[in-house]
Amino acid sequence: MKALLSRLAIGMVLAALASLPATAGWLSRIGHGAAEVGETGAHASKLGKLGLGALDHAAAYVAKLPVLPKGAALAAHATPEGHWKFVNREGEVFTAGTADELARATAVLAPDAAGGKLALYLSEDTVFGQRALLKDLPPEAELHLVMGKDSYRIRRGAGATSESLSAEVRPNITVDLANRKLFSEASFQLARPLNRSNIRVLALEPGGPRTLSGVPRFDPATKAALVDQIDPGALGAAFTKLRGQTVLISGRVDGDALAFVPASGAEQKLLVRDLVAAAEASDVNLVLLNAAAARQPGGRNWLWQKVEVAGLDEALRRATFADFLASLAQGGELAISAAEASYGRITLRAVPTGEPLVPLSGTIEDLMAEVTGQVTGRVIAKSIEVYARDRDREQELDLRLLPGVPSALQFAYIGATIAGLMSLAVSRPWWRRVWPPEAREEYSGATGYHAARAARLLTFLLIFLPLAGLPALLWSMVLQLWGVLTSPFRAFSWLRARVAGARD
């Protein structure tokens, strides 16, 4: 029985360690190593039947696609030697080393699809490591990137070249494919569910409030998000109340500064790097709307209309962060690029397709946008900058059972407690030496006696077991090993005693 309990304890501790995030230290890395070995084995049995390495994911994805009435879907991978490997839904492989062989790939693998649309599902290594070879593929072929369990349609650059590639994560949202890690980060951020209760809209108002409430406010009638005014000089301190939330600020980006027009007074500026630093210090996701109209939401324009962020109310009703950004862009198509920031952070830049990547300050377009915003009372985004936590940080936060406590500590605490419970035969005697059981005669009433017992039990469960659980489990295993090694001697002693008793 003890051996069974010990094995259960070891299994539960390893399961707890395996669930730790990648940044949780050496215990986390041990757990993740075990988890990754298990995942690799699972993928090998499921996706490694073809033995094609990087192409297996794309081939498995193609095998699950519905049969096209006209046309064909093939998995494709470019090897480091410059050859192409194609796989059809039946798992048949065709390797092309010359232009003639490449032209025959579709006819060999999908003879019934002649004249139809050709869709090629490319491996990650092909898109991010061998993109120069994409010029060899038929220009009319529809390209897709297979990444994990998802696929993304690829858009080629001007003239159907492979120099500039982007992937459609939504029909109206594309992400640059210049870097594998950055694309993975961007697609993760865009697919995250939107939590409207964590989104705050701020209006910069010198002389305004210097603190913010920890929860957002909504109009009780319309359920629309209400704007919180804040003194720009107090943003650093105010952000500490918004830890873990998403803050939206609008203005006109002029170089490295954000220009804004308060409800009363002349235009002022705030350094963007100060905003970003304040958000990073407080673990806040910052969404910066670059608009031609620098007037702050929540105030009034010269026609006494209420200034509001165009598309915000609709954006807050969306399901994912990608849909949120699309609504802020007023339904237009967005081109998104990602860039690395400081440790644990990522930067996304979303620009409406056709717009230049630099601010249009001082141009006719800016003047028209400013006039439009002033007349309608709407802040219309020209571009959107997102300064957010990266995938590892977000996943670590999602793993937390208690907010504010790193998930590594939480799972280590749970694992140690389970180990202590599974080795009670060792941990309980240790605890009795630390805190002997209460004697009933030492208490004048039953209330005090039972209160002391409850305090002792809670201290044992919440403090002692997490500290002594793993040593107790190890010692329990040592005792069991010792019992196994000495069992022959004990059996011999028992048998000798029985024989001696029989003689007597």
Side-chain angles (χ1 to χ4, degrees), residues 390-441:
D390 65 11
R391 177 201 292 261
D392 290 340
R393 177 62 174 160
E394 288 288 2
Q395 290 178 336
E396 192 275 329
L397 292 175
D398 292 341
L399 283 174
R400 293 183 180 183
L401 304 176
L402 296 175
V405 181
S407 60
L409 295 179
Q410 295 188 38
F411 284 100
Y413 178 93
I414 293 172
T417 302
I418 293 173
L421 288 173
M422 293 301 179
S423 56
L424 280 177
V426 174
S427 59
R428 188 155 46 189
W430 290 358
W431 173 240
R432 286 174 179 170
R433 295 180 183 180
V434 175
W435 189 334
E438 289 75 13
R440 177 67 181 83
E441 58 273 11

Side-chain angles (χ1 to χ4, degrees), residues 5 19 32 49 54 69 83 100 123 130 134 144 169 183 289 292-293 295 313 328 406 409 418 423 460 498:
L5 290 177
S19 62
H32 267 297
K49 296 179 180 179
H83 299 165
D100 291 338
S123 65
Q130 304 288 339
L134 296 184
H144 299 261
V169 297
F183 174 77
L289 265 68
R295 191 167 295 278
D313 292 339
L328 290 179
L409 295 179
I418 293 173
S423 56
F460 173 68
R498 291 292 298 270

Side-chain angles (χ1 to χ4, degrees), residues 5 19 22 57 93 105 152 162 194-195 197 218 246 260 267 298 321 370 406-407 416 488 500:
L5 290 177
S19 62
H57 283 283
V93 183
Y152 307 91
S162 60
L194 186 68
N195 184 359
S197 63
F218 296 94
T246 298
F260 63 95
E267 179 178 291
F321 194 66
E370 176 74 28
S407 60

Side-chain angles (χ1 to χ4, degrees), residues 12 15 30 57 65 69 73 97 114 185 296 346 379 398 411 432 456:
M12 297 182 77
I30 293 174
H57 283 283
L65 292 174
E185 284 283 355
Q296 293 297 283
I346 190 74
V379 177
D398 292 341
F411 284 100
R432 286 174 179 170
R456 180 176 181 271

